[in-house]
Amino acid sequence: MSTKKFGLILTTLLSLNTLTYGNPSNKKWGISLLNVNQREKGKITHGNFSKLSFHDGKINVDAKINLLKLDYFPYPFLGFYGIGGTIDAKATIENIKMKFLNVPLPKITKKSEGYLYGGGILLGGAYKNIFLLGQYTYTEIHLKGDVASKKAEVYTSRLGYTYRINEKITINPYGAITYQESNANITGTIKNYNFNFNVELEEIIPSAGILFTLPYDFTLVGEYSFGKRQFLALELGYRF
């Protein structure tokens, strides 16, 4: 199974950018549940469908992801984490024009479900109430029926401010910038027809979020991204 099949699904990995926000307490271990809804738009530049060449086109990928994360912070500024979960994805491909006809093909919709897993590292620092975090995530996605398999790496930076309500509750709003490769090669099978095409993606993705530390070592996080890759991620965590 090719590691480049249905490569645009890698964009669902943006959800993994919201998995870690530094260690909000002195507890070294943490466990979290994460729910993500995402849509990404891409531009198809060229490719082929059953060996017939085409150009132009658009692709939209909608994904719903549920994840479990386990993290460990040996030091307050350094953390490692692993993740695993399920994914439901739908890709819509439209406005594709065959080179010899120059007319658009009918809209193609492909749905699939599968699983993903991976891990990463986080480095953080703070000065008074201002904090800065850098994050690297590696993930693999596998969709059922040999529809797709993809490996991806994503880099994210966050800058935020901490408001301390009391000893147990803090509010931490932040802004984030995520980097991904701007080009993806997508291959796969739709109704027994093979396809391969190149897609241009948004390279830099801005987002904003807020982290709450709560009594009894619970945490709650929400993050939303802007632009052609939009997602809403919610995470409930517990430190021990």
Side-chain angles (χ1 to χ4, degrees):
M1 182 162 51
S2 170
T3 59
K4 292 186 177 180
K5 285 184 179 180
F6 220 62
L8 193 59
I9 297 299
L10 73 88
T11 60
T12 61
L13 301 178
L14 68 88
S15 65
L16 305 181
N17 298 333
T18 67
L19 290 176
T20 310
Y21 301 88
N23 190 349
S25 72
N26 60 357
K27 304 295 179 65
K28 291 189 175 183
W29 290 92
I31 189 169
S32 303
L33 294 174
L34 182 73
N35 176 265
V36 180
N37 287 277
Q38 175 188 300
R39 164 170 283 193
E40 178 155 17
K41 299 177 181 180
K43 177 183 177 182
I44 300 173
T45 58
H46 61 274
N48 62 77
F49 190 79
S50 290
K51 298 183 179 181
L52 298 176
S53 298
F54 60 78
H55 62 95
D56 297 332
K58 298 178 181 179
I59 182 168
N60 296 327
V61 177
D62 295 284
K64 295 183 179 180
I65 304 171
N66 293 295
L67 292 169
L68 176 67
K69 181 196 73 173
L70 180 67
D71 66 70
Y72 173 69
F73 280 78
Y75 304 100
F77 59 86
L78 175 64
F80 303 91
Y81 56 91
I83 58 96
T86 61
I87 176 173
D88 291 298
K90 181 180 75 171
T92 302
I93 304 168
E94 55 187 342
N95 295 333
I96 293 178
K97 296 180 180 179
M98 308 303 295
K99 286 188 175 181
F100 63 92
L101 294 176
N102 200 33
V103 295
L105 294 177
K107 181 188 295 185
I108 300 171
T109 300
K110 181 67 176 180
K111 295 182 179 180
S112 187
E113 60 183 17
Y115 63 93
L116 59 87
Y117 58 87
I121 182 172
L122 182 138
L123 289 170
Y127 175 73
K128 295 184 178 180
N129 287 8
I130 299 174
F131 62 88
L132 177 65
L133 301 173
Q135 183 176 349
Y136 164 82
T137 301
Y138 172 85
T139 308
E140 294 190 15
I141 296 177
H142 299 271
L143 297 180
K144 294 180 180 179
D146 200 31
V147 173
S149 176
K150 184 63 188 179
K151 300 177 182 179
E153 297 176 85
V154 181
Y155 304 86
T156 303
S157 295
R158 293 182 177 85
L159 179 65
Y161 189 89
T162 297
Y163 296 93
R164 185 170 296 278
I165 306 303
N166 54 44
E167 292 184 357
K168 295 183 178 181
I169 299 176
T170 65
I171 302 175
N172 308 268
Y174 61 86
I177 294 292
T178 297
Y179 171 81
Q180 68 169 354
E181 292 185 4
S182 60
N183 291 292
N185 180 256
I186 301 175
T187 63
T189 302
I190 296 179
K191 295 182 179 180
N192 297 321
Y193 292 100
N194 296 323
F195 63 83
N196 181 295
F197 47 84
N198 187 77
V199 175
E200 290 183 352
L201 305 174
E202 196 168 47
E203 192 171 65
I204 303 296
I205 300 96
S207 61
I210 187 168
L211 160 67
F212 299 90
T213 62
L214 305 172
Y216 306 106
D217 296 312
F218 283 98
T219 59
L220 179 64
V221 184
E223 185 169 331
Y224 179 78
S225 71
F226 312 94
K228 294 182 179 180
R229 190 173 75 172
Q230 298 177 339
F231 73 89
L232 175 64
L234 298 174
E235 177 187 4
L236 177 64
Y238 175 74
R239 304 212 63 80
F240 57 94

